[in-house]
Structure formats: structure tokens, C-alpha cells
Amino acid sequence: MSAPIIPGFFPDPTVCRVGTDYYLATSSFEYFPAVPIFHSTDLLTWTQIGHAFDRESQLDLQSSGSGVGGIYAPTLRYHDGTYFLITTNVSTADQGHMIVTSTDPAGPWSDPVFAPGFDGIDPDLTWDADGMCHLTWSSYAPGLEGIAQVPFDVRTGTALGPARVIWKGTGLAWPESPHLYLVDGRWILTIAEGGTERGHCITVARSRNIDGPYESAAQNPIFTHRSTPSPIQNVGHGDLVQTPTGEWAMVYLAVRVAGITPGFHVNGRETFLAGIDWADGWPVVDEHRYEVPPTETGFSDEFAGALDLRWISPGSAASGWTEPSASGGLDLHADPTGGTRLLAVRARDPEWSVSADVDAARGTGGLVIRLDDDHWCSVEVGRAEIVARLSLRAGVIELGRTSRVGDEISLWLRVTVPEAGHNAPVGPDVIELGAITAGESASLGSFDGRYLSTEVAGGFTGRVVGVAPSSGTLRVSSFSYRPGRAGS
Ligand code: 6LW
């Protein structure tokens, strides 16, 4: 459990198994394409195979606030030959939860069916022995606060009976993330409580009937890292799955915390794996069951052919403003109205470096690490100079500049973890920005990475790194992400 099975900003995992294949989806907030879908045959090594929402006609992220808006926790299930994915776009929550279906988890997924009238987040779908679908969710509806449930027509998104609260959790903040499983004749209801920060935990209740009454486990919470010295904190939001040989496992979210108290996490909430045993009909978490192999996170992209699934953009589909260039590379067209356009990948390691070769003959722009709209840093090729900046909510700070020589420039960023010292107020990492101009690599500044951490910025997302055009057309001919400490 020391390493995530899916490192980087991949929170709120949900998993299902069909035969010997596992499929997993996560939330994605303001980023498009949305809700990445992964495949595995061993629960340890995951390959992204698509997105549940990859057409702008399926999903409106234009109005989603950064860091807290857009797509919240999904549930992925297989029933009767069809994959169902239900989630909530909190930025258009009045429209209701969104259900998309497919016969192939790689896609294409259907247009959404909206399920309005069930105010809240974290919808779950389950089917009883009679084939009746039940929607269970974390309800905010006045008079229906808690984990609510309703018999549900999943094809139309409408209630087939009255909704009722089935559990309120153990009394901690934010009972959410409900999932239901029928195990040995009992409905097992797992939820997350305590908020998605250091107090996060997983609790469980059970009932012989799907609609309750639910009995809370005396041993709750069944999983938390709160108040422990573990560098992996905020554990919660789990989803259980049974293996083909009958064992059980759980995917869940956690963060890797670094730096001086109170600790900072920078790559968002990541997906981890634990084993599940059963004792007296209750799930017991065995967090050390699996030896997780390191994930291959390094890559280099020259943008030949279709964009790889790893590329995401806040608020809009990059296909609307990027195009492959006939002479190689990708052209990124800046928003003529000055809006943000960023083609990015998730940062996935504690230490990493990125370099991008850009051609600024017809425009300006550069490399960006983004946590949200207000918290980012960049090294940008302007008309005459290359400038490194750090943006905080209070304003933009210039870190350094150098003159621009020519159109074809290599930009770089590196993230390193500082030595911890007893009295040193170290942050989680140090971010350095630079450029290679006229054959010389120049550092244009560095800063304490806590300013691009969730503990400083707030919100639910993690760092992404990519290329942003700021005027005209910026061409990027190659982009590479390397895990580990960069040589200087
Ligand atoms: C998600 C909720 C949660 O919907 O955070 O950690 C919310 N858990 O269950 C946003 O991801």
C-alpha cells in the first residue's frame, strides 16, 4: 500500500469486474475529457482505455469553478450486458446526476440521461435479486439529509417510489461515497465520513433488506489514517470488488503528504488498493496485502496522430483549439478573447521534470504547472523575452526573465524534494523553471512548492503540467515527462 496503483490526480475510484477484467473510473472535476476509464487484469497494473465523457455534447464544463467544480465521484457497474456509469456535474447540478452507458468500457459511451430531483453527490447504482435498480447517494435535500436511497428507473433517471434516508453514518462530517454490495444475504453499505482531508475514513453498516434498517459496525471506522504518522493520509472513499477466485479487494483514495507541519500534498488525491477480509459478516481492511509495482509514468510525445488519452484541458476539449501540424508537432491556438487554454497531463511523482520544445514563430506561450485558475507557475516565451512567473490568489509574482533568441526554444520545469531538517521549514518540494536559449540552459527561478499544494490552494484537484498558448499559435514539437530527480 505504500504506492498508489494509479498515481496522480485520480480521486474517488470506483471499480467493477466482468470475468477476469477489472474496470476503474475516477472523478475529474473541471478537466475534459472527463472520467478516465482504466482496465486491469490483476488490480495492480492499470491501463487507461478511454473516458466516459469525451464529447463536449455529453458534458458542459464551461461554467465549472476550478478546483471544486465539475465532475464529482462516479460509480461504475456492469449489469445485464451493459456498463453503467453515474456521476454528478456539480456545476450543473440542477440538471441532476448523469448516467451514461456502453457495452464497451473503452467507449463510445452514450449521451447522458439526467436524473434530477435527488440533490446531492456520489450516486451509486445497485440491482436487487428481482432486477430492481436502486439509486443510493449522499443527499443534501432538505428533510432528506444523509445517505438516501430510492428505487430507480436507470434508463429514464426517474424514481419508482419514495426516497428515504437509510443511514446517517456514525456522526462524523460529510457522510458520502455510498456503495452497496450483497454479500452472503446481507446488504453491506460502505461510506466515507469525516471529510476528504486528514479526518477521512471509511465506515460500514449492514442490513438484510436493501432499504434497511442498517446496523452500524461496532468497529467503525473500518479504515482511517487520521492521527497516524503515515505519510499516506486522507484515506477514504473506497469501492469493493470481488476477484474471480472469491477474495475481496478495495480501491480507495489517499494523498501523499510531505513537508513541514501541517504537511502538504501536491499531486491531488490518488488511487490506492487494499485487501478485504470478512469477519463475522463485516469487511476488514488489510492495507498491506498487495505489493504494488511502480507505475511507468515517464513518456515523451511528438504529437504524431491522435492525442494520447493522458492529455486533458480545463473547461474545454483541446480538439477545438489544437491541430496537428503538417511539418510535425501540434499547433495550439490561443483564445482570442484571452481565456485560459492549457493542454496538460497529471503530475504523478514526488520528483519529476518536464521539457517541451516549442516554436514561437507565430505566437507566444509556454509551460505551466496548474493547480487551479489562481495557483500556477509558468515559463513563457513572450515576443522578446522568456519570463518565469508564479501566480497566487493574491497576484502574480515574476521569478525571472531572459531575452529570447530565435523561435525554437526548449522550456523546462523540475520538481525536487528538499532534504528535511529539524528546524527547516521545508515545503513538500521545490519547483524550478528555466529555458534553453542559444544552447545554454538558464534557470529563471525557483520557489517552495507548497504554494501549488492543495493545503494552500484548497479544492479537490492536483497538479497538472502542460503547454499553454497565450497569443497567436504556439507550436509544440515535443513534450517529455520524466519521473525522478533531474540532473542539473
Ligand atoms: C466526492 C466525495 C469526496 O464526491 O470528495 O473524498 C468529493 N470524497 O465523495 C469530491 O471528490
Side-chain angles (χ1 to χ4, degrees), residues 187-209:
W187 288 96
I188 303 293
L189 170 64
T190 61
I191 71 166
E193 294 186 63
T196 194
E197 303 81 24
R198 297 295 186 271
H200 211 199
C201 64
I202 294 179
T203 56
V204 60
R206 69 185 184 189
S207 172
R208 292 269 174 207
N209 304 307

Side-chain angles (χ1 to χ4, degrees), residues 11-12 27 29 68 71-74 90 121-122 138 140 174 176-178 192 195-197 200 234 236-237 253 269 460:
D12 304 318
S27 53
F29 298 85
V68 291
I71 291 285
Y72 276 34
V90 297
I121 57 168
D122 298 0
S138 173
Y140 303 161
W174 306 112
E176 60 192 13
S177 144
T196 194
E197 303 81 24
H200 211 199
N234 304 21
H237 202 113
L253 73 75
R269 298 170 300 158
F460 294 123

